[in-house]
Amino acid sequence: MSFQTDEHAKAYWKENLRLLVVLLVIWFVVSFGFGILLVEPLNSIPLFGFKLGFWFAQQGSIYVFVALIFVYVAKMKALDRKYDVHEDD
Amino acid sequence: MDIQTWTFLLVGLSFALYIGIAIWARAGSTKEFYVAGGGIPPVANGMATAADWMSAASFISMAGLISFMGYDGGVYLMGWTGGYVLLALCLAPYLRKFGKFTVPDFIGDRYYSQTARTVAVICAIFVSFTYVAGQMRGVGVVFSRFLEVDIVTGVLLGMCVVFFYAVLGGMKGITYTQVAQYCVLIFAYLVPAVFISILVTGNPIPQLGFGDTLADGSGTYLLDKLDGLSEELGFTEYTSGTKSMVDVFFITFALMVGTAGLPHVIVRFFTVPKVADARRSAGWALVFIAILYTTAPAVASFARVNMIETINGSDSAGVVYEEAPSWISNWEKTGLITWDDKNEDGRMFYSGDDRNEMKIDRDIIVLANPEIANLPAWVIALIAAGGVAAALSTSAGLLLVISTSISHDLLKRNLMPDISDKEELMYARIAAACGIAVAAYLGINPPGFVAQVVAFAFGLAASSFFPAIIMGIFYKRMNKEGAIAGMLSGIGFTAAYIIYFKFINPGANVPENWWFGISPEGIGTLGMIVNFVVALVVQKATGEAPDDIKDLVESLRYPKGSGEAQVH
């Protein structure tokens, strides 16, 4: 057991899951939400020469995906250090 | 210099580079052969993953598909990138902590069962072969059009190069070659894209040019022009698409989950030194993939406008065939463009209704794009080198999965547990060589159903591996009975649906007959749900996984201690 106590292990996993849920909700909203389910209402909003829904489906969702992973990397790095379960450098 | 000389030069140089890297990065042990010794830096691994992932289909076919599908093309763009979010957040770090070599390794150990391992091996081999056949075909198409050698010679040449660096270098050789291949393919993709973006919209960044006004001074936005043209010619509006929302939803989901479940992608995250690196590496992989994937829809729209205007003329009256640009006759020779002068006016006309006289294969859009836009010969040759790089990098990654599945999962962990590391390495090389031979055969004599089985590969990965791995990590109590029942029912359901609509009764493959309006491409999503539900029900009925397995799962959930990756 690498955690100091069982409570730490549980708390770490809980925080990890909370972060996952938040990021996956954003993942779902930008792609399935904005790009597919809400594409028609959003298409009435122009973004330069794009219709917004179309832009999310073919451009925007991909940019958000990239950002999500790097946010996850940074947050998990902090979380690993907080509970002292990071790898040796 | 003409196009052909340039192509020989650029493709030849890139081959020399790959072989040079192979000699430099030879593998000496099974660990180096399977996972490059676990010592690849995350950015390099990200680049290699991107090259591994972006196949001839992404490079050659995707922009063409989008060009013809408009909004519906978004299923590929979101589906094939969104999967990396799932990989980075839910799979890669935990599988890296697990610290072994293959996906069947994880399934077999986590579910303490040789049956589970065997099911996983069979899925891995099937998925990988499906893919490889398509790649070899891509190499063949590029060679036959640009080098004017026949497809057989093209495939054999490509195979020799892959043979050299995959058999010699294993994962280590493949990884460093893929880094080089990524650079070649992304350069080859971006250069013509930038040129065309400037020509069409005056904006050098394709992602922005896509939403910019046309360079002809009319002040019309590119996409508005495209919507207008589409409607005039009897196509659906470019930014709307024709698929139903349910189907778009399910296909996108199946592609995302399938991506996250593909063994040749997952195995890349076993090659980095640490758990934290696995997370970062997935991020970098998506950055490198996104560069191509955000350019592709822009290229698609530029190509569409260009193509319609060259064929129909700017006045939409049709261009006289004798005055047509040379790319039309070049591609007519390959049979990928045909013109049938129905109204006998000697003019070509392209439309979505009965005025149409052209048949244009979607695969040529990227390859013909530089010719359509009148770019210099070296740019056209560059596309050929890029297409070959994309096809070779993916084939090599897949061949490695096949050889690993045979030498490691099937022989070492199953049939011949007593072989030494050296013998296992020898079997891995023999398996890679046999894999290449089979792939070459499939490339030269492609089964008629290559295109159809791609849907199969994603559906299969989505409905088998993904749920089994997710529950293996996030649900400690999941037992072997549940996992095996889940995998079998998920695959069984998905396979039955696809086989029925694609092979047994292709005539019935219309939206009215689909369950809930879901096409065979999207059915993997439902298969995945079936897998989850069956696994949970069976687990409830058969009890929990043993305590030592629960401890194993517990140990996957934090990074500390990953350095001690086991060699067994």
Side-chain angles (χ1 to χ4, degrees), chain B residues 125-208:
Chain B
I125 293 177
F126 184 83
V127 170
S128 304
F129 264 121
T130 308
Y131 248 80
V132 156
Q135 301 311 314
M136 285 303 109
R137 199 64 192 165
V139 176
V141 169
V142 171
F143 274 110
S144 63
R145 165 63 188 89
F146 290 101
L147 299 177
E148 291 173 19
V149 296
D150 62 1
I151 289 195
V152 178
T153 320
V155 170
L156 290 179
L157 207 62
M159 293 284 56
C160 290
V161 176
V162 174
F163 180 85
F164 198 77
Y165 70 74
V167 173
L168 207 63
M171 186 56 123
K172 201 172 159 202
I174 287 174
T175 303
Y176 287 109
T177 321
Q178 280 171 337
V179 171
Q181 283 162 333
Y182 177 79
C183 298
V184 171
L185 80 86
I186 201 69
F187 186 68
Y189 206 82
L190 291 182
V191 168
V194 168
F195 269 117
I196 293 168
S197 183
I198 294 173
L199 280 178
V200 177
T201 65
N203 193 325
I205 301 167
Q207 285 84 344
L208 300 178

Side-chain angles (χ1 to χ4, degrees), chain A residues 16 35 49 51 59 80 85 87, chain B residues 71 94 211 239 275 294 560 562:
Chain A
N16 179 4
K51 297 171 177 174
Q59 296 273 303
D80 289 344
V85 286
E87 295 147 300
Chain B
Y71 163 78
Y94 307 105
T239 52
V275 172
T294 52
K560 198 170 192 169
S562 64

